[in-house]
Structure formats: C-alpha cells, structure tokens
Amino acid sequence: MDHHSTTTTTTSSFFSSPSDSLMAAILSHPPRSFSSLISSLSTDHRFIRSRLAFLLLSPPHFSLALARLHSLSLSQKSILLACLLLHYLNLLLLSPSPSHRLRLLDFDAAVLLMAMCDSYSPDTSPSPVNWHSTITTHLLTSLLSPSGLGSTSWPVVSHYIDTASKCRRFLHVVSGGTAKSDGEMAASSAAVVSLPSVEIGGESGECVVCKEEMEPGRDVCELPCRHRFHWSCALRWLGRKNTCPCCRFELPTEDVYGEMGRLWRKLMRMGGG
C-alpha cells in the first residue's frame, strides 16, 4: 500500500476541524484523481494570481473592477463572493459547475473583493484604505514568503483548503444565522434533465410521492441514489426541493448559497467531518 492510500485510510477518523476534514477529503481521492486535482488547483491558482497581478499593473482595469464593486449592494457583493467560493469547492471535488460561472468583469471584481478580505487588517490598515497599495503589499509578501517561494504544490493546496474552510462561516453570516434547511430550494434544471429514465421490471414498487404503484413496463425517473419515482411526481417534487424524498440525497441547485451548502456537506462527508 502506498503512502497516499495509507494516509487516506488512517487520517479521516482523527480530523475534526473543517480544515482537517477538507484535507482528509482531498486525500480520499484515488491517486490518479488526486494528481488531476493538484494540477487543476495549480493551474487555477496561477490564473487567479495572474489576473490579480494584471489588475494591479493596469490602473484602468483596477479602477473598472473597483467601480463595479462600488456599484453593488452588500447582498450583491455577497453573491459575487459566494460564486468564487463555490468555484473553490467545485475544484476540490473535481466537479466544475458552469451554471454559476461569472462574466469576466464580475470575476475580476470577485477576485479583487477576495484580495481585499485577505489583505485588510483593522489594526494596521490606514483609514481610508488605499486598496491598491494594501493588496499589492499583501500579494508581494505572500509571493516572497517561504511557501510562496517553495517548489512543491502543497502551499497551493493549503491556500484552497484555507479559503474553502471559510464557507461554513460565510453561509452563517450571510443568512443571519437562519440558513435555509436542507431541501428548501429547487433542483437545477441541468440536474433534472440529466436524470435517466428506466423501465420498471417484473416487480412493481410504490412511488413515495403519490403513494401509488409504479406499474411494470412503465418508464420512471431514477435519482443518483437509485430511488425511483413517476416522472410527473419527480418533476413536481424536484421543482420545489433538491433532495430525494426517500433518503434526502441532494441534487445540484441553482441557488448559489444552497449549492455551497450542498458541496460543503459533501466534502465533510468525504473527510469524515
């Protein structure tokens, strides 16, 4: 047994903090998927850093992204940040989600907003804050740190874990401590359309939505958890909730906060958290 598989089987039971559970989730990927994950994180990290550097080196583009942020309400800024955090979660799960992608200007604004959050310190930052100078200093300090100058990919992994670990706190803050409970948002259209249609065999079963028998020979809807329902019942149910009515398996949703919560719970289950 190699080191990766040994670590995967022995660490998750000892991890309890969100960061530790995220690390355990990453280590649970098979070796080939793990290599793909490291490559994806490194590529994405270089792209985000290069985009931030471009904004800092181009005053017109920096001003444009900053003006975009100033034009948004607090709730709109929260959604922008949520989309970027969701991007991090999807990368850790090796499951890119095109339904929540940002257009370039909004992506630049989200990267800038994240950099503001990372670089701001209420004890040392002047008032008013010169964001260009503050972000530049923080970025250079990060690049010249031992981890920034290192040749391994683990500092990049650590960066994504540290950022993703903020998701639970972020969801709690934006919801005022009263986040939606599981299953209170509709499943995404893409998730519903991709569900397979299967034919009932010799043994019929009850559709738990309508409490009627599913007749042999009829095509019914099958969820990823393998539970089956009449198509009409499934469409009606998933139009209101993104969970299986039998086992509460969660399907993707177009609600950005709901999707963040779904992916967070998935990672925590993978990591034993």
PDB file of all heavy atoms in Angstrom, residues 3 51 89 129 164:
ATOM      1  N   HIS A   3       1.956   5.462   0.229  1.00  0.00           N
ATOM      2  CA  HIS A   3       1.773   6.456   1.285  1.00  0.00           C
ATOM      3  C   HIS A   3       0.429   7.158   1.171  1.00  0.00           C
ATOM      4  O   HIS A   3      -0.243   7.415   2.168  1.00  0.00           O
ATOM      5  CB  HIS A   3       2.906   7.483   1.217  1.00  0.00           C
ATOM      6  CG  HIS A   3       2.714   8.647   2.151  1.00  0.00           C
ATOM      7  ND1 HIS A   3       2.859   8.541   3.520  1.00  0.00           N
ATOM      8  CD2 HIS A   3       2.350   9.929   1.916  1.00  0.00           C
ATOM      9  CE1 HIS A   3       2.634   9.709   4.077  1.00  0.00           C
ATOM     10  NE2 HIS A   3       2.315  10.567   3.128  1.00  0.00           N
ATOM     11  N   ARG A  51      -4.404  37.103 -12.852  1.00  0.00           N
ATOM     12  CA  ARG A  51      -5.498  38.064 -13.073  1.00  0.00           C
ATOM     13  C   ARG A  51      -5.421  39.206 -12.065  1.00  0.00           C
ATOM     14  O   ARG A  51      -5.624  40.369 -12.415  1.00  0.00           O
ATOM     15  CB  ARG A  51      -6.841  37.333 -12.955  1.00  0.00           C
ATOM     16  CG  ARG A  51      -8.012  38.081 -13.567  1.00  0.00           C
ATOM     17  CD  ARG A  51      -7.900  38.188 -15.063  1.00  0.00           C
ATOM     18  NE  ARG A  51      -8.638  39.338 -15.581  1.00  0.00           N
ATOM     19  CZ  ARG A  51      -8.569  39.754 -16.832  1.00  0.00           C
ATOM     20  NH1 ARG A  51      -7.777  39.147 -17.679  1.00  0.00           N
ATOM     21  NH2 ARG A  51      -9.269  40.801 -17.235  1.00  0.00           N
ATOM     22  N   LEU A  89     -14.876  25.242  -4.054  1.00  0.00           N
ATOM     23  CA  LEU A  89     -15.437  23.962  -3.619  1.00  0.00           C
ATOM     24  C   LEU A  89     -15.552  22.987  -4.784  1.00  0.00           C
ATOM     25  O   LEU A  89     -15.253  21.792  -4.639  1.00  0.00           O
ATOM     26  CB  LEU A  89     -16.819  24.181  -2.987  1.00  0.00           C
ATOM     27  CG  LEU A  89     -16.849  24.928  -1.651  1.00  0.00           C
ATOM     28  CD1 LEU A  89     -18.297  25.153  -1.209  1.00  0.00           C
ATOM     29  CD2 LEU A  89     -16.084  24.176  -0.568  1.00  0.00           C
ATOM     30  N   VAL A 129      -8.696  53.351   3.385  1.00  0.00           N
ATOM     31  CA  VAL A 129      -7.780  52.341   2.892  1.00  0.00           C
ATOM     32  C   VAL A 129      -7.404  52.628   1.440  1.00  0.00           C
ATOM     33  O   VAL A 129      -8.280  52.876   0.606  1.00  0.00           O
ATOM     34  CB  VAL A 129      -8.398  50.932   2.998  1.00  0.00           C
ATOM     35  CG1 VAL A 129      -7.415  49.880   2.471  1.00  0.00           C
ATOM     36  CG2 VAL A 129      -8.790  50.618   4.431  1.00  0.00           C
ATOM     37  N   ALA A 164     -11.608  27.529   1.290  1.00  0.00           N
ATOM     38  CA  ALA A 164     -12.841  26.753   1.311  1.00  0.00           C
ATOM     39  C   ALA A 164     -13.376  26.573   2.729  1.00  0.00           C
ATOM     40  O   ALA A 164     -14.594  26.499   2.939  1.00  0.00           O
ATOM     41  CB  ALA A 164     -12.618  25.385   0.662  1.00  0.00           C
TER      42      ALA A 164
END
